[in-house]
Amino acid sequence: MRFSPSSQLTLLALASLLASCDPPPGDAIPQGPAGELLVRPDLGDGKEVVLLAKDLRVPFDLAQSQVLQTQVSREPGFVLKVEDALGVLSTQGRQFREAISRDPEVIFLDAIDDVLLDPVLAEAMQAGVKVVSLNGKVVPPRCDSAVYCEEEEVGRIAGRMIAEALDRKAEEEGAAETTGRLVEIRGVEGDAAGEARHQGMMDALADQSGIILVHDAPGGWATDSCAAVLADAYRLQHQFDVVYAHDDDMAAVAGEAAVNQGVRENTFILGTNGFGGSGGGQDLMRRGEIDATIFHPIPADFAWRIVKKWNADPSFRAKAEYKLQ
């Protein structure tokens, strides 16, 4: 079965409808070489804003930092400092304490671990430093507000899209039952967000007995390691119908692997993030390198609006949690 362009667009529209935030995100993702921060404002006069990022080697984390830097650079009177923990909890804890000591206007925290950061969160609250959490691990009263997308829902959307694609395949082939062999490519081993997405996907497919997960491995957010995962999947499984990758770059690697195996027309490739611009998920889909992408809202984009409201109106009270649907 060939997954047609019209089907691709239908699936993207479905993903955008289910996963877009309200109000919608502002600007498209800035484009630049991988790993490069596009705006590096020097700390000088102005209110300091701190982003404590988990790991800027991860495409989504990098994109989030780029969006926030672009937004802050447009706002007079603010300067941004980005701290990259590189996935190391002790590094993030140290960066957090150093940021508190500078008494910034706000700290945006994408926490690696909520429990082990509890003492530092308490220090921030005691010092009166505003903290906005960018994932669901940390929520009030341990911070001032939390803005996040539920990763389980991203996984549930993936499961529904996979089932829809395979339902259509069964209908076109005149099969009595929907069946399919599924390969999942996560980011890194032990990542909580990846586990939540996986569980959401499996929940959505729970009543689809004919759809079987045959290979599940971390692709490391990188081309070489992802290609190795796909090589193992083809060696061990020989044939499968769907690849769900936890970001669009890894999905593109899966698409290329399917071309090399001569099975691209019969393989549904689904990614995540749905960024615009050259090389983003929407562009990859238009070029046919992947078949669909799930748009993942960027918490820092929405969270920055909270800070602007605080600055404009000191009496503004943010909600405890904003779940980007």
Side-chain angles (χ1 to χ4, degrees):
M1 172 194 176
R2 174 61 178 170
F3 293 97
S4 65
S6 61
S7 298
Q8 296 165 18
L9 294 174
T10 299
L11 287 166
L12 177 63
L14 171 66
S16 298
L17 174 66
L18 291 173
S20 61
C21 65
D22 183 16
D27 302 291
I29 305 301
Q31 298 299 311
E36 180 181 351
L37 299 177
L38 300 187
V39 182
R40 293 189 178 92
D42 293 329
L43 290 177
D45 294 334
K47 301 174 182 178
E48 181 181 345
V49 175
V50 179
L51 170 62
L52 299 179
K54 285 193 296 188
D55 191 341
L56 296 185
R57 294 170 298 184
V58 177
F60 183 84
D61 293 1
L62 176 63
Q64 176 157 252
S65 71
Q66 291 174 345
V67 165
L68 185 59
Q69 290 184 74
T70 299
Q71 300 284 45
V72 174
S73 69
R74 293 172 176 170
E75 196 70 22
F78 289 92
V79 292
L80 177 68
K81 182 173 180 61
V82 177
E83 300 280 10
D84 182 9
L86 291 170
V88 179
L89 177 62
S90 60
T91 300
Q92 188 169 71
R94 174 180 54 78
Q95 292 169 341
F96 199 172
R97 282 198 166 94
E98 290 174 354
I100 293 170
S101 71
R102 298 195 299 271
D103 190 26
E105 183 72 8
V106 66
I107 295 175
F108 293 113
L109 171 64
D110 192 2
I112 296 173
D113 185 285
D114 58 326
V115 175
L116 296 178
L117 284 177
D118 252 346
V120 196
L121 285 161
E123 291 172 24
M125 296 294 103
Q126 185 174 4
V129 175
K130 286 188 172 70
V131 176
V132 178
S133 171
L134 301 180
N135 66 48
K137 290 182 179 180
V138 176
V139 298
R142 295 190 291 170
C143 61
D144 293 274
S145 186
V147 182
Y148 58 94
C149 175
E150 291 186 303
E151 298 299 334
E152 293 90 342
E153 180 61 14
V154 175
R156 285 191 288 269
I157 292 169
R160 292 196 292 267
M161 294 176 76
I162 291 164
E164 180 183 328
L166 292 174
D167 283 344
R168 194 167 53 251
K169 176 177 180 287
E171 182 180 350
E172 292 180 6
E173 294 177 350
E177 180 187 6
T178 296
T179 61
R181 291 164 59 81
L182 165 64
V183 169
E184 181 180 13
I185 306 176
R186 309 194 199 192
V188 293
E189 196 73 47
D191 177 59
E195 179 57 34
R197 287 188 193 181
H198 167 79
Q199 193 56 54
M201 180 190 72
M202 297 306 293
D203 289 347
L205 295 174
D207 61 349
Q208 299 279 350
S209 59
I211 301 177
I212 303 169
L213 179 65
V214 297
H215 199 83
D216 173 13
W221 310 112
T223 298
D224 290 347
S225 55
C226 184
V229 167
L230 267 299
D232 279 346
Y234 281 111
R235 178 176 57 84
L236 296 170
Q237 303 300 332
H238 306 296
Q239 180 273 330
F240 37 87
D241 306 284
V242 177
V243 177
Y244 168 47
H246 286 210
D247 85 346
D248 294 320
D249 291 342
M250 294 192 298
V253 175
E256 182 179 2
V259 170
N260 294 338
Q261 292 287 329
V263 295
R264 179 66 185 91
E265 292 190 355
N266 299 311
T267 309
F268 178 61
I269 308 292
L270 172 61
T272 309
N273 287 341
F275 296 154
S278 176
Q282 296 179 44
D283 183 42
L284 292 170
M285 196 188 70
R286 282 190 291 268
R287 299 204 309 256
E289 296 184 35
I290 66 176
D291 294 302
T293 180
I294 302 170
F295 170 68
H296 191 300
I298 294 179
D301 184 36
F302 189 97
W304 175 240
R305 304 178 210 183
I306 296 174
V307 176
K308 289 174 65 176
K309 287 186 177 181
W310 274 331
N311 186 60
D313 179 9
S315 66
F316 170 70
R317 295 292 180 265
K319 293 181 182 179
E321 296 182 47
Y322 296 88
K323 295 182 182 181
L324 304 182
Q325 300 299 316

